[in-house]
Amino acid sequence: MTNFELIALGISLIAIFVAFWQGFLAKSQLEEAKRTKTETEKVLDEIKSKVQRVETISDETRKDVKEQISKLIDKQDENFKVLLNAPKESSQNEMLMTFLPKLMENPEMMERLIDIGNRQK
């Protein structure tokens, strides 16, 4: 073999070695990319799960707050009604105490007042 042939053979062997080395590096990069993709998908799934939990907690909290507000409003309505009816009941009791002696004298009048009260309910 001539020097030229030996140089060509050496370059060919180096080219084959470089090709194999590039194939090995490409395979390693592909495996690393697959591993990174799997890890990324896992992290994204965890983030999605956490977001869903936060949304659920938020929805439950919003619902609880609405229920508490409704209860508070209902309780205030009841208290307001009691306050509005209290003077009426008090004045009704005073009127009854004023008319009671006269009503005791006239039982028919008492029966009529009872009937009128029952009709208004």
Side-chain angles (χ1 to χ4, degrees), residues 1-12:
M1 281 192 163
T2 65
N3 280 342
F4 182 71
E5 290 175 339
L6 285 175
I7 292 175
L9 182 63
I11 291 176
S12 297

Side-chain angles (χ1 to χ4, degrees), residues 27 54 117:
K27 183 179 177 190
V54 167

